Amino acid sequence: MRLVILDNYDLASEWAAKYICNRIIQFKPGQDRYFTLGLPTGSTPLGCYKKLIEYHKNGHLSFKYVKTFNMDEYVGLPRNHPESYHSYMWNNFFKHIDIDPNNAHILDGNAADLQAECDAFEKKIKEAGGIDLFVGGIGPDGHIAFNEPGSSLVSRTRLKTLAMDTILANAKYFDGDLSKVPTMALTVGVGTVMDARELPAAFFPLNSTPFITLMVMILITGAHKAFALYKAIEEGVNHMWTVSAFQQHPRTIFVCDEDATLELRVKTVKYFKGLMHVHNKLVDPLFSMKDGN
């Protein structure tokens, strides 16, 4: 597990975007080899999306051979509603890049059979070969996607009733009218994000394991999420703080700003800051790429 601490939100967003960019470029996607990316919504990833759009417009990054899977969607909200996650993703990201719309997968909260929609989503992920990099954000209570406190840590994509705290928090997006706020959503499960990606043995040299785990990157910014970050990395795994499950994932990166570290022990912050020279090597190739090297 890595914890990358940047001075502020903008720097944290830029680091995350550079990391995503490098992962895609180093993968060398093509017509027969797509890079598969899991994506979040909310306010936290907006800065990251803006930087990715910038890299694309500057000619450094293409999404032509990238497939995406979003984490969640409200139930019963029209797809073209300004607060639907379909609208969020197209307005804030997809329409600004060269992704094929057929490769941008978002759960349909208006499907006739919601369970069948969830099952089909899991099947699509499997058919894509698993997810190479899952990017997530969390709420102040430590939930990832709509896996709120008490969710099973082995859960799969499913229909979820939203907690009253979530409904109240979302009211600001619906003119403060609770009657307009969706009370249910479709969401990937914790187990969906934790899953591993299995590749044919032909991809690997002799005496190596034909098993490659996906990478999970969690974005956590702001003082209001400091306690959730503390629960995520300094205490044990707990289904009341679903983000804590990623302590058990072999390749998790938490990317945060200084404000989000306010509840962490001083020695924890010092330890991970002491590793920043290692963490920065994960994004350094982007600098040389810009220079044309």
Side-chain angles (χ1 to χ4, degrees):
M1 182 185 74
R2 301 175 185 266
L3 175 63
V4 178
I5 304 170
L6 287 306
D7 287 345
N8 54 51
Y9 171 81
D10 289 340
L11 291 176
S13 298
E14 182 177 18
W15 194 98
K18 286 178 178 177
Y19 182 79
I20 295 168
C21 183
N22 282 341
R23 287 280 290 175
I24 294 173
I25 291 171
Q26 291 166 2
F27 186 85
K28 297 180 180 178
Q31 189 171 358
D32 299 318
R33 189 169 187 257
Y34 281 77
F35 186 88
T36 309
L37 187 61
L39 295 174
T41 54
S43 58
T44 302
L46 285 173
C48 177
Y49 289 152
K50 287 178 181 177
K51 295 302 293 186
L52 288 172
I53 292 167
E54 178 185 319
Y55 301 153
H56 168 67
K57 291 187 180 299
N58 289 342
H60 297 314
L61 179 63
S62 172
F63 292 87
K64 184 177 181 180
Y65 297 115
V66 173
K67 294 182 180 181
T68 65
F69 288 87
N70 265 81
M71 304 185 84
D72 43 25
E73 178 58 288
Y74 290 117
V75 168
L77 207 61
R79 180 176 296 203
N80 61 357
H81 189 286
E83 297 304 330
S84 77
Y85 291 151
H86 276 80
S87 293
Y88 172 102
M89 289 305 303
W90 283 101
N91 291 334
N92 292 301
F93 191 39
F94 292 152
K95 74 178 183 181
H96 305 287
I97 59 175
D98 61 342
I99 192 168
D100 182 340
N102 293 319
N103 291 331
H105 302 285
I106 305 176
L107 285 155
D108 182 359
N110 295 288
D113 186 333
L114 294 174
Q115 186 55 54
E117 172 67 11
C118 294
D119 294 343
F121 200 72
E122 290 272 345
K123 184 179 180 182
K124 288 176 184 176
I125 293 174
K126 185 175 181 180
E127 289 173 346
I131 294 177
D132 297 293
L133 173 60
F134 225 130
V135 183
I138 66 167
D141 61 0
H143 74 261
I144 184 163
F146 277 123
N147 294 286
E148 297 176 311
S151 294
S152 168
L153 300 185
V154 295
S155 56
R156 311 301 303 188
T157 304
R158 67 202 186 285
L159 175 65
K160 185 78 171 60
T161 301
L162 302 183
M164 182 52 67
D165 283 349
T166 299
I167 294 171
L168 291 171
N170 288 345
K172 62 185 178 184
Y173 303 116
F174 295 88
D175 303 320
D177 187 347
L178 287 178
S179 67
K180 296 180 181 179
V181 184
T183 59
M184 303 187 80
L186 302 183
T187 181
V188 296
V190 178
T192 308
V193 184
M194 287 282 290
D195 235 348
R197 178 172 180 263
E198 190 170 1
L199 293 177
F203 279 83
F204 297 85
L206 291 175
N207 302 320
S208 68
T209 175
F211 198 74
I212 181 170
T213 57
L214 58 82
M215 178 72 76
V216 176
M217 181 167 65
I218 309 295
L219 310 179
I220 306 176
T221 58
H224 63 301
K225 296 183 180 178
F227 194 67
L229 179 60
Y230 159 71
K231 286 286 187 177
I233 67 170
E234 286 196 348
E235 291 208 348
V237 176
N238 187 334
H239 68 273
M240 296 306 290
W241 296 85
T242 52
V243 68
S244 67
F246 296 101
Q247 292 179 25
Q248 297 185 314
H249 192 285
R251 301 177 72 189
T252 297
I253 299 179
F254 291 94
V255 181
C256 70
D257 60 5
E258 282 284 353
D259 287 346
T261 69
L262 293 176
E263 296 286 348
L264 297 181
R265 295 180 178 91
V266 172
K267 65 181 181 180
T268 300
V269 174
K270 278 186 154 184
Y271 172 76
F272 284 107
K273 280 190 172 182
L275 296 175
M276 280 304 296
H277 67 288
V278 177
H279 298 156
N280 284 334
K281 289 181 180 179
L282 299 174
V283 298
D284 278 346
L286 191 65
F287 294 108
S288 59
M289 180 185 69
K290 282 183 176 180
D291 296 334
N293 297 327

